[in-house]
Amino acid sequence: MIIDQDSGGFSPDLSKFSLRQGTGDMDVEEVEEVPTHLNTINSSGGFLVVSMDKLSVQYTSVNLHGHDVGVVQANCPAPVKRLMYYFEIFVKNAGAKGQIAIGFTNEHFKMRRQPGWEANSYGYHGDDGLLYRGQGKGETFGPTFTSGDTVGGGINYASQEFFFTKNGKLVGTVYKDVKGPLFPTIAVHSQNEEVNVNFGQQPFVFDIEAFTLEERMKQQMMIEKISLPLNISHRIVRSYLRHYGYQDTLNSFDLASRSTLPPIPVAQENGINEQADTYALSHRKILRQLIRSGDLDSVFGKLRDWYPQILQNESSTICFLLHCQKFIELVRVGDLENAVKYARAELARFFGITQLPYLLQDCIALLAYEEPMKSPVGYLLELCQRELVADALNSMVLSMNPSMKDTESCLQSYLERLLRQLSACCFERRSLNGDQGETFRLHRVLQSRKEGKS
């Protein structure tokens, strides 16, 4: 919160409304290292031979003891910032006993034991079809596998389960009670056993994409079973349009829905304060339209007539954003001479005092390029920058509402606050799962909904 000394009141901190393109994009997917080959350094090398491409292993010795296992992990742990992880092996030769296993182990796993025989490890074994999880005794799980079979192992981070497949079909799942990093692991344990591993370099036999989509559909069905108040989505959309001053769209939306939705009294709007968002709706509509058209002179004129208190503090953040946008519009039309004059007259006073120094630097930098739109600071000339300034001014006007009890609420609509709460809940759920699983990405949710309807 910023204290506006000239007006004797409070005004919201609008620094979040200036967005520097290419930095801090919260909707960019996080990049993780993924397994690509087998780790020949951390393996029981005396009992197996790894191929030159590090994607095949062969047991060449004669096992004499239970700990004479040829074990090898992937070169890095399974990635965790996703819904699923999966890899496969092809049993080229089951060897003398077919004691081949696929599973997951942690970084402290003893590399002379089968996956599943030690704590914090899981393994599906080919010779008996049993599942081992952290102890020497296996449990009934699935069929055995041998030469010519393709077997897969995966992690479902949404359900916190391991799953295993054979020849393209799901064998079964088991709860994953290990939260730390886990390495895809394979083991061979009798002479001439040979296995090829596929970390995704080749198409999988099991349709992991369909399996992932099925999991997403399960989640969506659970969500759709939740009972919501009648017309709540309609009310949330209306509150968004009111909040940002889209008066014409709001009127069209109401007209279109009048014949399809029954009216609901305001008292049933579940906390949505329609009067707060309706404040100065026509004024906010006009100011937004003027900014979107680049007519900053008219914006300043309207503010002097309607809300002179906003312009009283000439060093405020909102004044800075408006003056920056005026400068940007002069550059946009190629009037560089007047842009320089304007910068000297209006922007110079902000050096050293603005909360957004990088924005001021980027604005001035526009003058250095013959084609500013193609420059590193060309984002300022895009229409989204106008929208950001319009959002900032919209919030300032809303904060002028004498009945506004919480001025911070003017910064975001109910829809945006709902999305923030959804993100926080998803983050908390992921935290409880050891920071494993997908982070909430709105564009991904919208895209999956679009694909589900197509």
Side-chain angles (χ1 to χ4, degrees), residues 15 55 57 99 147 173 187 223 234 245-246 281 327 371:
S15 59
L55 293 174
V57 295
Q99 295 176 325
S147 301
T173 63
I223 293 172
H234 175 75
Y246 295 113
L281 182 58
F327 172 83
E371 296 183 88

Side-chain angles (χ1 to χ4, degrees), residues 335-401:
D335 192 355
L336 301 185
E337 181 178 351
N338 281 325
V340 171
K341 291 180 180 178
Y342 193 83
R344 290 172 177 171
E346 301 295 346
L347 296 184
R349 66 173 176 270
F350 291 102
F351 280 101
I353 64 172
T354 177
Q355 294 182 327
L356 309 170
Y358 61 82
L359 177 60
L360 182 57
Q361 294 168 7
D362 286 1
C363 282
I364 301 303
L366 287 170
L367 298 172
Y369 298 93
E370 292 185 5
E371 296 183 88
M373 180 64 79
K374 298 180 180 179
S375 72
V377 292
Y379 74 92
L380 291 171
L381 299 172
E382 295 178 2
L383 296 181
C384 60
Q385 185 66 23
R386 287 178 175 175
E387 290 288 354
L388 289 168
V389 176
D391 289 348
L393 183 56
N394 180 76
S395 294
M396 280 300 303
V397 175
L398 282 174
S399 72
M400 299 290 104
N401 185 353

Side-chain angles (χ1 to χ4, degrees), residues 55-275:
L55 293 174
S56 298
V57 295
Q58 183 179 15
Y59 195 95
T60 57
S61 303
V62 176
N63 68 318
L64 300 176
H65 307 284
H67 57 265
D68 292 343
V69 183
V71 184
V72 60
Q73 294 177 325
N75 62 305
C76 68
V80 299
K81 298 175 182 178
R82 53 175 62 189
L83 185 67
M84 301 272 186
Y85 173 75
Y86 180 73
F87 77 107
E88 285 182 345
I89 62 171
F90 171 72
V91 182
K92 187 175 182 180
N93 189 340
K97 300 180 180 178
Q99 295 176 325
I100 298 168
I102 180 173
F104 294 90
T105 59
N106 70 358
E107 59 183 337
H108 303 297
F109 183 73
K110 296 178 181 179
M111 303 302 291
R112 296 280 296 276
R113 301 279 284 167
Q114 288 272 16
W117 285 2
E118 297 288 331
N120 300 316
S121 70
Y122 291 76
Y124 173 33
H125 292 212
D127 59 332
D128 53 19
L130 299 182
L131 177 75
Y132 294 79
R133 44 177 171 174
Q135 55 187 355
K137 184 179 180 181
E139 54 191 77
T140 302
F141 186 69
T144 61
F145 52 89
T146 186
S147 301
D149 288 330
T150 297
V151 183
I155 305 175
N156 182 337
Y157 292 111
S159 63
Q160 286 294 296
E161 292 177 322
F162 293 105
F163 62 94
F164 295 94
T165 70
K166 178 184 175 183
N167 296 332
K169 296 182 179 180
L170 182 67
V171 173
T173 63
V174 59
Y175 177 69
K176 183 178 77 67
D177 56 5
V178 180
K179 303 301 182 184
L182 292 168
F183 292 78
T185 305
I186 58 176
V188 285
H189 197 190
S190 72
Q191 192 171 22
N192 296 326
E193 290 178 359
E194 187 174 358
V195 173
N196 301 334
V197 62
N198 179 12
F199 289 117
Q201 295 92 338
Q202 303 295 328
F204 293 124
V205 174
F206 179 69
D207 193 343
I208 186 61
E209 293 183 0
F211 189 64
T212 302
L213 180 60
E214 182 181 348
E215 180 61 40
R216 293 195 191 283
M217 293 299 293
K218 288 180 182 178
Q219 295 180 5
Q220 186 61 39
M221 290 177 64
M222 290 178 62
I223 293 172
E224 292 180 355
K225 289 180 180 179
I226 300 174
S227 177
L228 293 175
L230 185 63
N231 289 356
I232 186 63
S233 59
H234 175 75
R235 296 295 179 177
I236 291 175
V237 172
R238 291 193 77 250
S239 72
Y240 179 86
L241 297 175
R242 288 195 309 267
H243 179 88
Y244 283 105
Y246 295 113
Q247 187 177 30
D248 293 342
T249 306
L250 176 63
N251 293 337
S252 299
F253 182 73
D254 285 342
L255 182 62
S257 58
R258 189 170 299 163
S259 60
T260 59
L261 294 174
I264 297 179
V266 174
Q268 296 182 24
E269 287 197 1
N270 298 281
I272 296 179
N273 187 348
E274 182 168 335
Q275 292 183 343

Side-chain angles (χ1 to χ4, degrees), residues 38 40 49-58 194-196:
L38 298 170
T40 56
V49 173
V50 180
S51 62
M52 292 294 291
D53 63 4
K54 300 182 181 181
L55 293 174
S56 298
V57 295
Q58 183 179 15
E194 187 174 358
V195 173
N196 301 334

